[in-house]
Amino acid sequence: MTGRIAFTEENALRIAAVERAFAPSGKSLAKPGRVLVGEGRLMKLCRRSPQPKMFFLFNDIIVYGSIVVHKLWYKNQHIIPLEDIIIEDLADSLEMKNQWLIRTPKKSFYMSAASEKEKQAWICRIMECREQQLISSRKEPTTSFAATWIPDRASHICMRCADKFTVAQRRHHCRQCGFVVCNSCSKCRIVIPAISAKPVRVCTLCFNTLLCEKAKEEAGKRSSDGFDLEMPVYEALSDEDSDEREEDDMMPIQWVKPQNMYHPKNSCFTYLK
């Protein structure tokens, strides 16, 4: 009983520390029954290049964000319920080693760890927590996932019209298919509920396909009911996509055990018997 109380207090302190690291814009993470399972610094493939992100695995969610000051301050908090996640183990690529793919309804992206051992540890722990969460919540696993964005550097031409990208001809991404497209081929905006409540950029082909699907679902209504079509403006790069400073090494993953005690003078977990 003493060990259980000590772990509960340690867990509450650690969750509070994660909340403070994302302040003031981060959401509250404290919740009855929520446990911080592990944390680590991983690489996430963004539209231009792999960028370091800090990941926190809880028993019911994954939280990640951009690193401002390691162990002290993170921004752009993202929270993903484990029921909405599916993982695909991948072979090494030229761009990233020890990589895997995380698919969610809102966003799908590539991740990589410092070693194969760390990669397998992350995959194993995420899948274990996901299975336990599905059982405890009695929810059905998600079956519809967002397309994975093709990196900017993967194509020097529009993947719809084949026009060459230049300083004036900027790259954009279709939120439906993930293709790299030019402005002319992605002027349409449409609401994709799983991604955003606001209209998002899509290519012309996907826009027409989505309109047809909507028309079939709402027979007798106007085919454009519930959709917003407007001319897009140039999009400012979000903090999620912006280039972030690289650090020389990668922090090893830290897994939490019930018998471990958290030392307030150290932001890492300490392993005490």
Side-chain angles (χ1 to χ4, degrees):
M1 178 64 70
T2 302
R4 184 183 296 273
I5 293 174
F7 173 70
T8 302
E9 293 176 350
E10 171 201 357
N11 181 64
L13 285 172
R14 195 67 195 116
I15 292 178
V18 176
E19 281 188 4
R20 289 194 300 270
F22 279 102
S25 59
K27 296 180 180 179
S28 174
L29 299 174
K31 179 181 177 182
R34 177 167 290 167
V35 177
L36 178 59
V37 179
E39 63 180 62
R41 180 175 176 271
L42 300 169
M43 300 299 289
K44 175 178 175 290
L45 183 60
C46 298
R47 60 182 299 175
R48 286 183 176 153
S49 63
Q51 301 293 337
K53 306 286 182 181
M54 194 65 185
F55 279 75
F56 299 91
L57 174 62
F58 295 82
N59 61 327
D60 60 338
I61 58 174
I62 286 180
V63 178
Y64 74 91
S66 304
I67 300 171
V68 181
V69 179
H70 189 52
K71 298 183 181 179
L72 293 177
W73 184 16
Y74 308 113
K75 64 178 182 178
N76 302 328
Q77 184 190 67
H78 295 265
I79 301 176
I80 309 174
L82 289 181
E83 302 100 311
D84 294 343
I85 287 178
I86 191 170
I87 292 179
E88 296 180 19
D89 195 351
L90 302 175
D92 292 350
S93 68
L94 295 176
E95 197 153 37
M96 292 201 305
K97 293 183 178 180
N98 309 313
Q99 67 171 344
W100 69 95
L101 176 63
I102 293 182
R103 292 187 180 276
T104 77
K106 189 173 182 179
K107 193 170 189 177
S108 300
F109 50 90
Y110 295 95
M111 302 294 308
S112 72
S115 66
E116 177 67 21
K117 182 179 180 180
E118 185 177 333
K119 164 189 168 180
Q120 294 302 330
W122 270 103
I123 292 177
C124 181
R125 286 302 180 99
I126 292 174
M127 295 307 296
E128 285 178 358
C129 292
R130 178 180 181 272
E131 291 300 320
Q132 294 173 5
Q133 178 63 16
L134 285 172
I135 293 173
S136 61
S137 66
R138 298 181 180 179
K139 293 182 180 179
E140 292 295 325
T142 301
T143 57
S144 179
F145 303 99
T148 307
W149 283 19
I150 296 174
D152 283 3
R153 66 178 64 184
S155 181
H156 296 290
I157 61 173
C158 173
M159 301 179 75
R160 289 302 183 197
C161 70
D163 276 358
K164 187 176 180 179
F165 291 119
T166 63
V167 175
Q169 182 74 307
R170 297 178 55 208
R171 290 173 172 83
H172 298 281
H173 279 86
C174 172
R175 273 55 173 176
Q176 177 68 9
C177 65
F179 277 20
V180 184
V181 291
C182 67
N183 184 58
S184 297
C185 292
S186 59
K187 289 184 176 181
C188 299
R189 301 255 183 162
I190 198 169
V191 172
I192 303 178
I195 296 177
S196 174
K198 297 180 180 180
V200 294
R201 182 189 295 270
V202 294
C203 66
T204 305
L205 179 61
C206 287
F207 179 75
N208 292 332
T209 301
L210 290 170
L211 277 184
C212 289
E213 292 177 356
K214 185 66 176 180
K216 292 178 181 178
E217 292 175 0
E218 300 185 356
K221 296 182 179 180
R222 291 188 307 169
S223 61
S224 60
D225 184 31
F227 288 82
D228 253 340
L229 175 59
E230 60 184 39
M231 296 295 289
V233 297
Y234 284 127
E235 296 177 337
L237 289 178
S238 65
D239 291 330
E240 172 77 9
D241 301 327
S242 63
D243 293 333
E244 298 171 358
R245 60 185 182 86
E246 299 261 357
E247 297 183 9
D248 294 333
D249 55 355
M250 298 185 72
M251 289 290 295
I253 187 172
Q254 302 159 347
W255 297 116
V256 183
K257 297 181 180 179
Q259 66 268 28
N260 297 341
M261 296 298 294
Y262 175 73
H263 196 291
K265 294 183 180 180
N266 193 334
S267 59
C268 299
F269 291 105
T270 54
Y271 297 85
L272 304 176
K273 294 185 180 179

